[in-house]
Amino acid sequence: MISRLFSIAGNTFIESLRRPVFLAALVTVGLLLILNPAISTLTLGEDDKLLVDLGLSTILLGGIFLSAFISSRSISSELESKTILTILSKPVGKLCFITGKYLGVCATITLAVWIWSLVFLLGVRHGAISAAWESGDGPVLVFGLGATSVAVAIAAWG
């Protein structure tokens, strides 16, 4: 039973990663998190507090939208292609199927939130940009651009 559950969860996780809405949400929320240090300068003295609040609310809303889109499509695609009939005719119960789908969607959302949290932490480390003559934070720029270039290189190689 556990092997079937993890098999369904793994399949749902891979299917969710392949959906275009996952990449669109990942990039959109990532860009919003990158823009948060510039937006948070519009307050009078509460720059850091607004930066944290904007970042956390952006991650929350991104997770809500992503979970709604992925979970609604997860079961409906099984119903449209009629693969649910094949799966449920095997010795897999409905509870196991739904739980596996749920765990797969949770794994996808966890991966997205983890990536967004890394971008958020780099933005908090950089801090709010108070004036135009302030220079950027070196480690943030090096690690952020370095991680992006390594990810693009790995994706190109794959």
Side-chain angles (χ1 to χ4, degrees):
M1 168 117 172
I2 297 295
S3 65
R4 294 182 195 124
L5 180 75
F6 286 134
S7 175
I8 293 171
N11 188 23
T12 304
F13 176 69
I14 297 299
E15 284 178 4
S16 299
L17 290 181
R18 291 181 181 161
R19 299 200 190 282
V21 71
F22 178 76
L23 184 62
L26 199 66
V27 169
T28 303
V29 172
L31 289 176
L32 288 173
L33 288 170
I34 289 171
L35 291 176
N36 279 346
I39 294 171
S40 66
T41 61
L42 302 174
T43 62
L44 298 172
E46 295 292 326
D47 299 343
D48 294 330
K49 183 180 182 311
L50 183 65
L51 179 64
V52 171
D53 288 345
L54 274 175
L56 291 176
S57 62
T58 303
I59 291 173
L60 174 72
L61 289 176
I64 288 172
F65 284 126
L66 189 61
S67 64
F69 286 124
I70 288 178
S71 61
S72 66
R73 188 69 183 145
S74 176
I75 301 270
S76 67
S77 66
E78 297 281 344
L79 291 173
E80 287 174 4
S81 65
K82 302 204 189 276
T83 56
I84 193 167
L85 298 174
T86 307
I87 293 171
L88 292 179
S89 68
K90 305 288 185 209
V92 175
K94 292 176 188 174
L95 181 64
C96 180
F97 179 73
I98 297 296
T99 306
K101 287 289 186 183
Y102 173 76
L103 290 176
V105 170
C106 284
T108 306
I109 301 301
T110 302
L111 177 67
V113 168
W114 182 73
I115 293 170
W116 292 333
S117 297
L118 292 177
V119 175
F120 170 66
L121 289 175
L122 285 175
V124 169
R125 167 77 165 87
H126 189 278
I129 304 167
S130 302
W133 60 81
E134 286 185 6
S135 63
D137 191 9
V140 169
L141 295 176
V142 168
F143 286 120
L145 294 174
T148 304
S149 61
V150 166
V152 168
I154 290 172
W157 179 71

